[in-house]
Amino acid sequence: MEGIYLLFILLLSIFVGFELIQKVPATLHTPLMSGANAISGITVVGALALAGDETLGEYTMYLGAFAVFLATINVVGGYLVTDRMLAMFKKKK
Amino acid sequence: MTSNIDLVINFTYVIAAGLFIYGLKLLGHPSSARKGNLVSAVAMLIAIVVTLLDNNIINFQWIAIAMLAGSVVGFFAARLIAMTDMPEMVSLLNGVGGLASVFVAWATIQSGAGLTAFILVVTFLALLIGGVTFSGSIVAWAKLSERITGRAVTFSGQAVVNGIIVLAIIATGYAFVAQPDLALTSTEVLYIALGLSLLFGIMLVLPIGGADMPVVISLLNSYSGLAACAAGFALQNNILIVAGSLVGASGIILTNIMCKAMNRSLSNVLFSGFMAVHKTDM
């Protein structure tokens, strides 16, 4: 039954995702892509659960910790890069 | 089963999901875009902090090291990169995100806990999509930064080779989930699947020329969202599913919009390298 709830969540979020990005000016394409990329770093939350759970064994924890490392780069780098791009936009105006 | 702390965590995930949606909405308008990025960053921070409250997370030593190292690398990568190299940077970060999904999937398999057929399917998908995202993004990065030729790379029989890779991926997927009596262990199947997905990512991006790269990066960005989403199913984590599918769906739409802006269709961008009448004289 849990799986069905998760599928509901998936379905609704896909619709929201479609609706959000309908009329976006061309200048915002790259920052939007970069911003969305930072959000996809949410994997870090899943990686944390694997990296900190000792019951899963040492090997899993190491793999999880490496995933945390990679996803953190994605998150931190992604948001900063997006912010830099958008900051440049403001100056142009 | 559900303790109070789980309830708090999941309730906070709902708030974070709402903020992600609101942030994406703000990102779509020039006047509010910067604020939107900030809102989405706050949502990410909330999600990370509340996850650390989880009772199952006991050992913080490696988490602390990994997060610190990741933040430092991410910070300097974002600060030091030249403004003109931004598309490459986005591609590279996207690849790193894809690789993170690969390792989450790998760790899930390695933990061996509660691996039902459903979990195996979604974990395999996370591994596969993550692998394609990683190698594809690396190729896109190399093309944009002119480490390899920016033009479309094609060779005769490429379509056949790609077809064989797809079939091999399906076969390993079956072997992985159904686990028939093979001479291979599931870990060995995992390695083969990973290798194939990496190869497929390279083959996907190689035949695409330089000017079409932004479209491909947008598509790969959408894939990295889908990989996070698949990982969310594997770990039964709501926020991963919501955020992942948001990125997946908005990425597809964005890819489509970018194609339309160039008066092309997505399939035309992806497969034009194979077409016989592809114009090479500019």
Side-chain angles (χ1 to χ4, degrees):
Chain A
M1 202 54 206
E2 179 85 1
I4 300 294
Y5 287 127
L6 297 178
L7 281 174
F8 262 121
I9 295 174
L10 173 71
L11 184 77
L12 294 174
S13 339
I14 287 177
F15 272 107
V16 172
F18 277 146
E19 285 302 315
L20 282 175
I21 316 296
Q22 282 300 350
K23 286 170 192 152
V24 180
T27 45
L28 277 180
H29 285 172
T30 313
L32 193 65
M33 182 160 74
S34 174
N37 172 40
I39 295 179
S40 72
I42 190 73
T43 325
V44 69
V45 167
L48 282 174
L50 292 163
D53 194 342
E54 281 180 340
T55 57
L56 297 177
E58 221 168 52
Y59 195 29
T60 303
M61 286 174 66
Y62 291 146
L63 289 172
F66 193 60
V68 170
F69 168 66
L70 293 171
T72 311
I73 297 178
N74 191 185
V75 168
V76 175
Y79 282 119
L80 287 177
V81 159
T82 313
D83 193 59
R84 262 186 81 185
M85 277 187 221
L86 293 170
M88 193 182 64
F89 273 31
K90 272 235 169 96
K91 273 179 211 156
K92 268 187 183 170
K93 273 191 174 175
Chain B
M1 270 303 277
T2 318
S3 65
N4 277 336
I5 194 81
D6 280 345
L7 209 62
V8 170
I9 290 174
N10 276 300
F11 183 71
T12 316
Y13 280 169
V14 174
I15 296 173
L19 287 175
F20 276 134
I21 294 169
Y22 185 54
L24 260 183
K25 188 171 172 55
L26 292 180
L27 257 178
H29 300 278
S31 55
S32 59
R34 205 170 177 193
K35 197 175 136 209
N37 189 45
L38 190 67
V39 168
S40 138
V42 168
M44 183 67 74
L45 187 67
I46 293 175
I48 291 173
V49 169
V50 82
T51 306
L52 292 173
L53 297 176
D54 193 323
N55 282 336
N56 290 325
I57 300 182
I58 319 156
N59 191 325
F60 287 94
Q61 186 193 350
W62 288 105
I63 290 179
I65 295 171
M67 292 205 82
L68 192 69
S71 303
V72 169
V73 173
F75 180 82
F76 283 106
R79 282 285 151 215
L80 300 179
I81 195 87
M83 212 62 211
T84 46
D85 295 340
M86 280 297 174
E88 285 108 290
M89 192 65 213
V90 174
S91 182
L92 203 57
L93 287 170
N94 193 34
V96 169
L99 194 62
S101 288
V102 168
F103 274 92
V104 167
W106 191 351
T108 308
I109 300 295
Q110 203 64 48
S111 73
L115 295 179
T116 60
F118 177 74
I119 302 275
L120 283 175
V121 170
V122 286
T123 311
F124 186 77
L125 282 177
L127 184 88
L128 192 68
I129 305 172
V132 169
T133 308
F134 172 64
S135 61
S137 298
I138 295 299
V139 174
W141 166 75
K143 280 198 171 198
L144 278 176
S145 58
E146 289 172 344
R147 280 173 172 80
I148 59 174
T149 172
R151 277 176 303 161
V153 178
T154 48
F155 53 86
S156 58
Q158 195 164 9
V160 179
V161 172
N162 286 355
I164 292 171
I165 297 176
V166 171
L167 287 179
I169 287 176
I170 294 171
T172 40
Y174 175 76
F176 187 69
V177 176
Q179 296 188 333
D181 289 325
L182 292 172
L184 301 166
T185 65
S186 62
T187 329
E188 281 164 336
V189 177
L190 186 86
Y191 294 150
I192 296 171
L194 184 57
L196 282 171
S197 68
L198 293 176
L199 186 64
F200 190 62
I202 296 170
M203 296 300 283
L204 191 75
V205 181
L206 269 186
I208 298 166
D212 292 339
M213 271 303 133
V215 175
V216 179
I217 295 174
S218 175
L219 187 68
L220 288 169
N221 179 35
S222 166
Y223 285 175
S224 75
L226 295 177
C229 182
F233 273 100
L235 300 168
Q236 315 240 310
N237 187 316
N238 295 342
I239 191 74
L240 251 73
I241 297 175
V242 173
S245 45
L246 272 178
V247 175
S250 60
I252 294 274
I253 289 287
L254 190 62
T255 310
N256 212 7
I257 296 174
M258 288 164 86
C259 286
K260 272 188 190 152
M262 299 196 304
N263 259 327
R264 319 250 316 255
S265 73
L266 182 57
S267 64
N268 185 262
V269 169
L270 285 181
F271 302 119
S272 62
F274 296 124
M275 288 174 188
V277 284
H278 187 56
K279 285 180 201 134
T280 44
D281 51 326
M282 296 297 270

PDB file of all heavy atoms in Angstrom, chain A residues 62-88:
ATOM      1  N   TYR A  62      30.204   3.747   3.997  1.00  0.00           N
ATOM      2  CA  TYR A  62      31.218   4.431   3.185  1.00  0.00           C
ATOM      3  C   TYR A  62      30.631   4.888   1.858  1.00  0.00           C
ATOM      4  O   TYR A  62      30.847   6.025   1.423  1.00  0.00           O
ATOM      5  CB  TYR A  62      32.421   3.516   2.950  1.00  0.00           C
ATOM      6  CG  TYR A  62      33.224   3.256   4.194  1.00  0.00           C
ATOM      7  CD1 TYR A  62      33.839   2.031   4.403  1.00  0.00           C
ATOM      8  CD2 TYR A  62      33.367   4.235   5.173  1.00  0.00           C
ATOM      9  CE1 TYR A  62      34.568   1.780   5.550  1.00  0.00           C
ATOM     10  CE2 TYR A  62      34.078   4.001   6.326  1.00  0.00           C
ATOM     11  CZ  TYR A  62      34.681   2.769   6.512  1.00  0.00           C
ATOM     12  OH  TYR A  62      35.388   2.529   7.654  1.00  0.00           O
ATOM     13  N   LEU A  63      29.870   3.972   1.209  1.00  0.00           N
ATOM     14  CA  LEU A  63      29.240   4.336  -0.063  1.00  0.00           C
ATOM     15  C   LEU A  63      28.282   5.516   0.146  1.00  0.00           C
ATOM     16  O   LEU A  63      28.249   6.457  -0.643  1.00  0.00           O
ATOM     17  CB  LEU A  63      28.476   3.132  -0.634  1.00  0.00           C
ATOM     18  CG  LEU A  63      29.306   1.972  -1.168  1.00  0.00           C
ATOM     19  CD1 LEU A  63      28.405   0.795  -1.520  1.00  0.00           C
ATOM     20  CD2 LEU A  63      30.096   2.398  -2.394  1.00  0.00           C
ATOM     21  N   GLY A  64      27.514   5.435   1.231  1.00  0.00           N
ATOM     22  CA  GLY A  64      26.574   6.510   1.547  1.00  0.00           C
ATOM     23  C   GLY A  64      27.288   7.826   1.791  1.00  0.00           C
ATOM     24  O   GLY A  64      26.855   8.878   1.317  1.00  0.00           O
ATOM     25  N   ALA A  65      28.397   7.766   2.525  1.00  0.00           N
ATOM     26  CA  ALA A  65      29.146   8.990   2.834  1.00  0.00           C
ATOM     27  C   ALA A  65      29.694   9.620   1.552  1.00  0.00           C
ATOM     28  O   ALA A  65      29.686  10.839   1.400  1.00  0.00           O
ATOM     29  CB  ALA A  65      30.282   8.687   3.802  1.00  0.00           C
ATOM     30  N   PHE A  66      30.142   8.762   0.620  1.00  0.00           N
ATOM     31  CA  PHE A  66      30.652   9.301  -0.638  1.00  0.00           C
ATOM     32  C   PHE A  66      29.513   9.964  -1.416  1.00  0.00           C
ATOM     33  O   PHE A  66      29.699  11.026  -2.024  1.00  0.00           O
ATOM     34  CB  PHE A  66      31.313   8.198  -1.464  1.00  0.00           C
ATOM     35  CG  PHE A  66      32.118   8.731  -2.619  1.00  0.00           C
ATOM     36  CD1 PHE A  66      33.191   9.583  -2.397  1.00  0.00           C
ATOM     37  CD2 PHE A  66      31.790   8.405  -3.922  1.00  0.00           C
ATOM     38  CE1 PHE A  66      33.929  10.096  -3.456  1.00  0.00           C
ATOM     39  CE2 PHE A  66      32.517   8.912  -4.988  1.00  0.00           C
ATOM     40  CZ  PHE A  66      33.584   9.749  -4.752  1.00  0.00           C
ATOM     41  N   ALA A  67      28.328   9.343  -1.359  1.00  0.00           N
ATOM     42  CA  ALA A  67      27.159   9.935  -2.009  1.00  0.00           C
ATOM     43  C   ALA A  67      26.808  11.284  -1.368  1.00  0.00           C
ATOM     44  O   ALA A  67      26.450  12.236  -2.056  1.00  0.00           O
ATOM     45  CB  ALA A  67      25.966   8.983  -1.939  1.00  0.00           C
ATOM     46  N   VAL A  68      26.950  11.368  -0.033  1.00  0.00           N
ATOM     47  CA  VAL A  68      26.707  12.637   0.661  1.00  0.00           C
ATOM     48  C   VAL A  68      27.667  13.700   0.142  1.00  0.00           C
ATOM     49  O   VAL A  68      27.271  14.825  -0.186  1.00  0.00           O
ATOM     50  CB  VAL A  68      26.878  12.484   2.189  1.00  0.00           C
ATOM     51  CG1 VAL A  68      26.880  13.849   2.875  1.00  0.00           C
ATOM     52  CG2 VAL A  68      25.773  11.622   2.768  1.00  0.00           C
ATOM     53  N   PHE A  69      28.943  13.308   0.025  1.00  0.00           N
ATOM     54  CA  PHE A  69      29.974  14.224  -0.470  1.00  0.00           C
ATOM     55  C   PHE A  69      29.601  14.759  -1.856  1.00  0.00           C
ATOM     56  O   PHE A  69      29.575  15.977  -2.084  1.00  0.00           O
ATOM     57  CB  PHE A  69      31.319  13.485  -0.497  1.00  0.00           C
ATOM     58  CG  PHE A  69      32.410  14.195  -1.243  1.00  0.00           C
ATOM     59  CD1 PHE A  69      32.925  15.403  -0.789  1.00  0.00           C
ATOM     60  CD2 PHE A  69      32.931  13.648  -2.404  1.00  0.00           C
ATOM     61  CE1 PHE A  69      33.936  16.058  -1.477  1.00  0.00           C
ATOM     62  CE2 PHE A  69      33.946  14.290  -3.101  1.00  0.00           C
ATOM     63  CZ  PHE A  69      34.443  15.494  -2.635  1.00  0.00           C
ATOM     64  N   LEU A  70      29.260  13.850  -2.783  1.00  0.00           N
ATOM     65  CA  LEU A  70      28.935  14.251  -4.152  1.00  0.00           C
ATOM     66  C   LEU A  70      27.687  15.127  -4.204  1.00  0.00           C
ATOM     67  O   LEU A  70      27.659  16.179  -4.856  1.00  0.00           O
ATOM     68  CB  LEU A  70      28.715  12.998  -5.020  1.00  0.00           C
ATOM     69  CG  LEU A  70      29.936  12.134  -5.279  1.00  0.00           C
ATOM     70  CD1 LEU A  70      29.528  10.838  -5.953  1.00  0.00           C
ATOM     71  CD2 LEU A  70      30.947  12.869  -6.135  1.00  0.00           C
ATOM     72  N   ALA A  71      26.644  14.693  -3.469  1.00  0.00           N
ATOM     73  CA  ALA A  71      25.389  15.439  -3.516  1.00  0.00           C
ATOM     74  C   ALA A  71      25.551  16.825  -2.893  1.00  0.00           C
ATOM     75  O   ALA A  71      24.926  17.791  -3.335  1.00  0.00           O
ATOM     76  CB  ALA A  71      24.287  14.659  -2.808  1.00  0.00           C
ATOM     77  N   THR A  72      26.418  16.925  -1.858  1.00  0.00           N
ATOM     78  CA  THR A  72      26.644  18.239  -1.244  1.00  0.00           C
ATOM     79  C   THR A  72      27.308  19.188  -2.232  1.00  0.00           C
ATOM     80  O   THR A  72      26.977  20.384  -2.285  1.00  0.00           O
ATOM     81  CB  THR A  72      27.509  18.104   0.022  1.00  0.00           C
ATOM     82  OG1 THR A  72      26.965  17.081   0.843  1.00  0.00           O
ATOM     83  CG2 THR A  72      27.530  19.403   0.804  1.00  0.00           C
ATOM     84  N   ILE A  73      28.262  18.661  -3.018  1.00  0.00           N
ATOM     85  CA  ILE A  73      28.874  19.490  -4.068  1.00  0.00           C
ATOM     86  C   ILE A  73      27.785  20.013  -4.993  1.00  0.00           C
ATOM     87  O   ILE A  73      27.718  21.198  -5.323  1.00  0.00           O
ATOM     88  CB  ILE A  73      29.892  18.678  -4.902  1.00  0.00           C
ATOM     89  CG1 ILE A  73      31.048  18.208  -4.039  1.00  0.00           C
ATOM     90  CG2 ILE A  73      30.406  19.510  -6.077  1.00  0.00           C
ATOM     91  CD1 ILE A  73      32.042  17.365  -4.803  1.00  0.00           C
ATOM     92  N   ASN A  74      26.886  19.106  -5.405  1.00  0.00           N
ATOM     93  CA  ASN A  74      25.797  19.458  -6.307  1.00  0.00           C
ATOM     94  C   ASN A  74      24.920  20.562  -5.705  1.00  0.00           C
ATOM     95  O   ASN A  74      24.584  21.540  -6.364  1.00  0.00           O
ATOM     96  CB  ASN A  74      24.972  18.197  -6.594  1.00  0.00           C
ATOM     97  CG  ASN A  74      23.975  18.395  -7.723  1.00  0.00           C
ATOM     98  OD1 ASN A  74      23.193  17.522  -8.009  1.00  0.00           O
ATOM     99  ND2 ASN A  74      24.000  19.533  -8.373  1.00  0.00           N
ATOM    100  N   VAL A  75      24.575  20.390  -4.425  1.00  0.00           N
ATOM    101  CA  VAL A  75      23.678  21.347  -3.762  1.00  0.00           C
ATOM    102  C   VAL A  75      24.363  22.710  -3.604  1.00  0.00           C
ATOM    103  O   VAL A  75      23.870  23.734  -4.089  1.00  0.00           O
ATOM    104  CB  VAL A  75      23.233  20.819  -2.385  1.00  0.00           C
ATOM    105  CG1 VAL A  75      22.550  21.921  -1.592  1.00  0.00           C
ATOM    106  CG2 VAL A  75      22.304  19.637  -2.553  1.00  0.00           C
ATOM    107  N   VAL A  76      25.507  22.713  -2.931  1.00  0.00           N
ATOM    108  CA  VAL A  76      26.195  23.978  -2.627  1.00  0.00           C
ATOM    109  C   VAL A  76      26.611  24.677  -3.923  1.00  0.00           C
ATOM    110  O   VAL A  76      26.318  25.865  -4.134  1.00  0.00           O
ATOM    111  CB  VAL A  76      27.417  23.723  -1.721  1.00  0.00           C
ATOM    112  CG1 VAL A  76      28.194  25.006  -1.518  1.00  0.00           C
ATOM    113  CG2 VAL A  76      26.964  23.164  -0.383  1.00  0.00           C
ATOM    114  N   GLY A  77      27.280  23.924  -4.803  1.00  0.00           N
ATOM    115  CA  GLY A  77      27.715  24.496  -6.071  1.00  0.00           C
ATOM    116  C   GLY A  77      26.538  24.980  -6.891  1.00  0.00           C
ATOM    117  O   GLY A  77      26.567  26.075  -7.456  1.00  0.00           O
ATOM    118  N   GLY A  78      25.478  24.165  -6.952  1.00  0.00           N
ATOM    119  CA  GLY A  78      24.312  24.490  -7.765  1.00  0.00           C
ATOM    120  C   GLY A  78      23.653  25.797  -7.362  1.00  0.00           C
ATOM    121  O   GLY A  78      23.388  26.651  -8.205  1.00  0.00           O
ATOM    122  N   TYR A  79      23.404  25.959  -6.059  1.00  0.00           N
ATOM    123  CA  TYR A  79      22.732  27.181  -5.613  1.00  0.00           C
ATOM    124  C   TYR A  79      23.620  28.412  -5.788  1.00  0.00           C
ATOM    125  O   TYR A  79      23.148  29.482  -6.191  1.00  0.00           O
ATOM    126  CB  TYR A  79      22.279  27.049  -4.154  1.00  0.00           C
ATOM    127  CG  TYR A  79      21.026  26.225  -4.013  1.00  0.00           C
ATOM    128  CD1 TYR A  79      21.019  25.042  -3.282  1.00  0.00           C
ATOM    129  CD2 TYR A  79      19.854  26.629  -4.626  1.00  0.00           C
ATOM    130  CE1 TYR A  79      19.864  24.287  -3.166  1.00  0.00           C
ATOM    131  CE2 TYR A  79      18.699  25.878  -4.520  1.00  0.00           C
ATOM    132  CZ  TYR A  79      18.712  24.712  -3.791  1.00  0.00           C
ATOM    133  OH  TYR A  79      17.584  23.969  -3.691  1.00  0.00           O
ATOM    134  N   LEU A  80      24.910  28.261  -5.508  1.00  0.00           N
ATOM    135  CA  LEU A  80      25.812  29.413  -5.645  1.00  0.00           C
ATOM    136  C   LEU A  80      25.950  29.842  -7.103  1.00  0.00           C
ATOM    137  O   LEU A  80      25.936  31.037  -7.410  1.00  0.00           O
ATOM    138  CB  LEU A  80      27.178  29.082  -5.044  1.00  0.00           C
ATOM    139  CG  LEU A  80      27.223  29.018  -3.515  1.00  0.00           C
ATOM    140  CD1 LEU A  80      28.606  28.608  -3.038  1.00  0.00           C
ATOM    141  CD2 LEU A  80      26.855  30.371  -2.923  1.00  0.00           C
ATOM    142  N   VAL A  81      26.094  28.850  -7.989  1.00  0.00           N
ATOM    143  CA  VAL A  81      26.229  29.167  -9.414  1.00  0.00           C
ATOM    144  C   VAL A  81      24.971  29.863  -9.922  1.00  0.00           C
ATOM    145  O   VAL A  81      25.043  30.871 -10.630  1.00  0.00           O
ATOM    146  CB  VAL A  81      26.503  27.873 -10.218  1.00  0.00           C
ATOM    147  CG1 VAL A  81      26.157  28.053 -11.677  1.00  0.00           C
ATOM    148  CG2 VAL A  81      27.956  27.464 -10.085  1.00  0.00           C
ATOM    149  N   THR A  82      23.804  29.338  -9.524  1.00  0.00           N
ATOM    150  CA  THR A  82      22.539  29.959  -9.941  1.00  0.00           C
ATOM    151  C   THR A  82      22.462  31.400  -9.447  1.00  0.00           C
ATOM    152  O   THR A  82      22.073  32.307 -10.187  1.00  0.00           O
ATOM    153  CB  THR A  82      21.344  29.170  -9.373  1.00  0.00           C
ATOM    154  OG1 THR A  82      21.563  27.784  -9.604  1.00  0.00           O
ATOM    155  CG2 THR A  82      20.054  29.585 -10.033  1.00  0.00           C
ATOM    156  N   ASP A  83      22.857  31.589  -8.182  1.00  0.00           N
ATOM    157  CA  ASP A  83      22.797  32.929  -7.613  1.00  0.00           C
ATOM    158  C   ASP A  83      23.725  33.880  -8.356  1.00  0.00           C
ATOM    159  O   ASP A  83      23.378  35.032  -8.625  1.00  0.00           O
ATOM    160  CB  ASP A  83      23.176  32.863  -6.128  1.00  0.00           C
ATOM    161  CG  ASP A  83      22.822  34.165  -5.419  1.00  0.00           C
ATOM    162  OD1 ASP A  83      21.631  34.516  -5.440  1.00  0.00           O
ATOM    163  OD2 ASP A  83      23.730  34.825  -4.889  1.00  0.00           O
ATOM    164  N   ARG A  84      24.900  33.386  -8.723  1.00  0.00           N
ATOM    165  CA  ARG A  84      25.846  34.237  -9.464  1.00  0.00           C
ATOM    166  C   ARG A  84      25.273  34.660 -10.809  1.00  0.00           C
ATOM    167  O   ARG A  84      25.394  35.806 -11.222  1.00  0.00           O
ATOM    168  CB  ARG A  84      27.157  33.470  -9.688  1.00  0.00           C
ATOM    169  CG  ARG A  84      28.227  33.822  -8.679  1.00  0.00           C
ATOM    170  CD  ARG A  84      29.524  33.163  -9.038  1.00  0.00           C
ATOM    171  NE  ARG A  84      30.266  33.877 -10.074  1.00  0.00           N
ATOM    172  CZ  ARG A  84      31.384  33.419 -10.612  1.00  0.00           C
ATOM    173  NH1 ARG A  84      31.888  32.262 -10.224  1.00  0.00           N
ATOM    174  NH2 ARG A  84      32.014  34.111 -11.520  1.00  0.00           N
ATOM    175  N   MET A  85      24.652  33.691 -11.490  1.00  0.00           N
ATOM    176  CA  MET A  85      24.049  34.002 -12.789  1.00  0.00           C
ATOM    177  C   MET A  85      22.968  35.062 -12.641  1.00  0.00           C
ATOM    178  O   MET A  85      22.896  36.021 -13.402  1.00  0.00           O
ATOM    179  CB  MET A  85      23.391  32.747 -13.358  1.00  0.00           C
ATOM    180  CG  MET A  85      24.313  31.823 -14.059  1.00  0.00           C
ATOM    181  SD  MET A  85      23.265  30.558 -14.792  1.00  0.00           S
ATOM    182  CE  MET A  85      24.231  29.142 -14.452  1.00  0.00           C
ATOM    183  N   LEU A  86      22.086  34.871 -11.627  1.00  0.00           N
ATOM    184  CA  LEU A  86      20.962  35.789 -11.461  1.00  0.00           C
ATOM    185  C   LEU A  86      21.432  37.157 -11.002  1.00  0.00           C
ATOM    186  O   LEU A  86      20.842  38.177 -11.375  1.00  0.00           O
ATOM    187  CB  LEU A  86      19.960  35.197 -10.461  1.00  0.00           C
ATOM    188  CG  LEU A  86      19.259  33.934 -10.968  1.00  0.00           C
ATOM    189  CD1 LEU A  86      18.483  33.255  -9.863  1.00  0.00           C
ATOM    190  CD2 LEU A  86      18.322  34.264 -12.126  1.00  0.00           C
ATOM    191  N   ALA A  87      22.513  37.180 -10.232  1.00  0.00           N
ATOM    192  CA  ALA A  87      23.060  38.465  -9.788  1.00  0.00           C
ATOM    193  C   ALA A  87      23.534  39.268 -10.993  1.00  0.00           C
ATOM    194  O   ALA A  87      23.375  40.486 -11.048  1.00  0.00           O
ATOM    195  CB  ALA A  87      24.207  38.225  -8.822  1.00  0.00           C
ATOM    196  N   MET A  88      24.087  38.570 -11.976  1.00  0.00           N
ATOM    197  CA  MET A  88      24.569  39.231 -13.181  1.00  0.00           C
ATOM    198  C   MET A  88      23.395  39.845 -13.962  1.00  0.00           C
ATOM    199  O   MET A  88      23.499  40.926 -14.514  1.00  0.00           O
ATOM    200  CB  MET A  88      25.298  38.218 -14.040  1.00  0.00           C
ATOM    201  CG  MET A  88      26.104  38.812 -15.144  1.00  0.00           C
ATOM    202  SD  MET A  88      26.864  37.530 -16.129  1.00  0.00           S
ATOM    203  CE  MET A  88      25.439  36.715 -16.809  1.00  0.00           C
TER     204      MET A  88
END
